[in-house]
Amino acid sequence: KEIELPIEQVCVADELIVRPGEKIPVDGAVLSGSSSVDESMITGESIPVEKIEGDPLIGATINQRGLLRMRATKVGADTVLASIIRMVEQAQGSKAPIQRLADSISSIFVPVVLVIAALTFIGWAIVGNLTMTSAQAAGVMSASNPWIVAIVAAITVLVVACPCALGLATPTAIMVGTGKGAEQGILIRGGESLERIHAVRAILLDKTGTITKGKPELTDAIALEGMSVDDMLRLVAEAEQGSEHPLAAAIVEGAKARNLLLNAYPDRFTALAGRGLEATVEGYTLLVGTRHLLQERSIDFDAFQERLEALEQQGKTAMIVVIDGRPVGIVAVADTVKVGSAEAVKQLREQGLSVWMITGDNQRTAQAIAAQVGIPAEHVLAEVLPEDKANQVKRLQAQGLVVAFAGDGINDAPALVQADAGIAMGTGTDIAMEAADITLVKGNLKSVATALALSRATLRTIRQNLFWAFAYNVVLIPTAILSPLIPFLRENAPIFAAAAMALSSVTVVSNSLRLRRFGRQV
């Protein structure tokens, strides 16, 4: 008897049915059926994984084509997804906040100014009363009351030292910087995120969905002499139209992109789980699959051995095409590198960053992708599980490096939170964006270099603002203290102090507004 239950009521050992296109509800194992499952959100493996009887299933991954009957082995808080969420929450709770420079300075500056103003009042009151008679005789402070002179001097110190410029130094730069980032598709969580990212010295880039597109595409079609590549690819694509497998969809889309007309559908079609397919199309019998499939059928493919190995070394999934019992060519599919990824890695390295690639994918594929974008082989971390991604970030942090992590999947969330600066692709999952300090709306890796440059420009502007605010006080506080001795100030000193205070605030705001030109400088 088949019944529908809320996921909260599923218990260990329950038997469940997962239809094509549905999410696998809990962790379990296949009892019967076969399918391909997209596990990229958890493992980072870009190519869907074939599942047959006895194979493990991970909750929240997507069943793509076949009907699966499974037994639940872990439910609720025990599932892989729940453990990832727990890790994210723990990492968020352990991240120490950065103390604002301006706040810590203000906490010292304000009491010091109050003391200086008090000393100014006391000093001029004593000097005025002691020298009042002689000063009047000399005409220096003509009929001025020494207590009024002292009060005016003290007020001048307080007005001129009003920390408006100091208070505006940080928020104005952050406001303009984050606004400029938003214009360029870089969403920055706040000033603390900007402060974190500017100090980054090493960056870990997740492979699937960050460096690569995250879905398979047709990359190669090779035919033996005497066979047209277009004819071979057209027949293969027509045969693959009978399959729901993601690799089949990639071949069909690749053939259409080459303007090949797919007018026929297979008359007979058999999917061979984990190995390939057998079909009859346009009167030809086609076999498309792995070397293991050809070995099972005792078909000699020595002529393709060298090319097969070369394609596999590049991290591609290569399939041999057999027509009417004769091997005629190879089609290869791979998760391809995003446009601009290689340039982005180059820009990051030019900024002095140590660039690493991290992935749950196999070592061979990882090395092939890294070579394409210019990441050194020794900076490639492959076959890394979700919990180990966060550990790899900790390992680099233990070496004294300030680490940024860029990723897009649920499996990246713990590492995004653990990193000093987390960068999520806007094309990725909600949990990744929630865990990150910065979200790149376009999902373009080149925006990582732009975000780092923007954060440095913003922090540079904040330092300049703080410098001008302090330089202004260093010059004008002594002037305010001595204002009774300066002929054109004296009683008018507070007016000049107010004007100077306003000018310092305008200077700081104007300097922050220079960040609006950032896009033209990058």
Side-chain angles (χ1 to χ4, degrees), residues 351-374:
Q351 289 185 21
L353 271 69
S354 173
V355 183
W356 296 67
M357 187 180 84
I358 189 165
T359 179
D361 218 335
N362 63 74
Q363 186 73 37
R364 186 172 61 189
T365 301
Q367 292 288 358
I369 295 294
Q372 290 180 50
V373 296

Side-chain angles (χ1 to χ4, degrees), residues 145-490:
N145 186 317
W147 296 104
I148 293 175
V149 171
I151 289 172
V152 168
I155 290 172
T156 303
V157 170
L158 289 173
V159 172
V160 86
C162 181
C164 291
L166 196 60
L168 290 169
T170 301
T172 54
I174 286 172
M175 183 176 67
V176 178
T178 53
K180 196 65 191 175
E183 282 181 23
Q184 301 190 22
I186 301 167
L187 303 182
I188 301 167
R189 193 175 284 261
E192 198 171 300
S193 300
L194 270 174
E195 288 178 351
R196 272 200 290 269
I197 197 172
H198 97 281
V200 165
R201 291 294 171 267
I203 182 163
L204 272 75
L205 304 175
D206 178 54
K207 180 184 77 71
T208 306
T210 303
I211 294 176
T212 66
K213 293 178 181 177
K215 72 173 196 173
E217 290 184 355
L218 179 68
T219 57
D220 299 88
I222 303 165
L224 284 179
E225 289 183 17
M227 183 74 188
S228 161
V229 171
D230 285 352
D231 286 343
M232 179 200 73
L233 183 56
R234 176 176 53 79
L235 289 170
V236 171
E238 286 175 345
E240 296 283 11
Q241 286 184 121
S243 173
E244 296 175 346
H245 197 284
L247 298 187
I251 293 170
V252 171
E253 288 300 317
K256 289 178 178 176
R258 299 184 186 201
N259 298 317
L260 300 180
L261 295 176
L262 309 181
N263 296 321
Y265 279 83
D267 300 318
R268 183 178 59 84
F269 177 89
T270 306
L272 307 169
R275 293 167 296 163
L277 64 85
E278 188 172 12
T280 303
V281 63
E282 292 188 18
Y284 296 99
T285 300
L286 269 73
L287 197 65
V288 183
T290 63
R291 61 179 75 199
H292 302 298
L293 176 60
L294 270 67
Q295 287 168 351
E296 285 178 10
R297 302 294 179 93
S298 301
I299 298 174
D300 180 31
F301 57 92
D302 288 345
F304 293 104
Q305 194 68 38
E306 191 174 325
R307 289 178 180 175
L308 273 174
E309 290 176 358
L311 290 169
E312 288 170 351
Q313 283 296 326
Q314 296 170 31
K316 298 174 181 177
T317 300
M319 293 160 280
I320 306 164
V321 180
V322 179
I323 298 179
D324 292 338
R326 185 174 72 92
V328 296
I330 301 172
V331 290
V333 172
D335 182 12
T336 56
V337 170
K338 284 182 182 177
V339 175
S341 289
E343 186 182 345
V345 170
K346 181 182 176 184
Q347 289 175 356
L348 291 169
R349 295 184 72 181
E350 286 174 351
Q351 289 185 21
L353 271 69
S354 173
V355 183
W356 296 67
M357 187 180 84
I358 189 165
T359 179
D361 218 335
N362 63 74
Q363 186 73 37
R364 186 172 61 189
T365 301
Q367 292 288 358
I369 295 294
Q372 290 180 50
V373 296
I375 296 175
E378 62 272 18
H379 283 192
V380 176
L381 306 172
E383 299 176 22
V384 181
L385 297 174
E387 57 271 22
D388 290 332
K389 287 188 178 183
N391 291 334
Q392 292 293 347
V393 173
K394 287 180 185 177
R395 185 176 63 82
L396 290 176
Q397 289 171 329
Q399 296 173 22
L401 294 171
V402 180
V403 181
F405 184 95
D408 74 323
I410 288 176
N411 61 319
D412 299 322
L416 284 166
V417 178
Q418 177 61 44
D420 298 289
I423 303 169
M425 299 293 120
T427 50
T429 59
D430 289 345
I431 192 171
M433 288 185 271
E434 184 64 29
D437 296 298
I438 292 175
T439 298
L440 308 180
V441 175
K442 300 172 187 174
N444 188 336
L445 199 56
K446 287 164 69 174
S447 297
V448 174
T450 306
L452 288 166
L454 176 61
S455 69
R456 292 193 181 108
T458 303
L459 266 292
R460 186 165 58 247
T461 300
I462 290 172
R463 291 194 189 99
Q464 290 168 356
N465 288 346
L466 292 172
F467 169 79
W468 285 115
F470 275 107
Y472 155 84
N473 283 304
V474 166
V475 172
L476 292 186
I477 287 177
T479 305
I481 294 170
L482 300 174
S483 60
L485 298 177
I486 302 171
F488 69 89
L489 291 179
R490 293 188 182 172

Side-chain angles (χ1 to χ4, degrees), residues 131-143:
T131 61
M132 184 170 58
T133 304
S134 58
Q136 286 177 346
V140 175
M141 291 168 57
S142 56

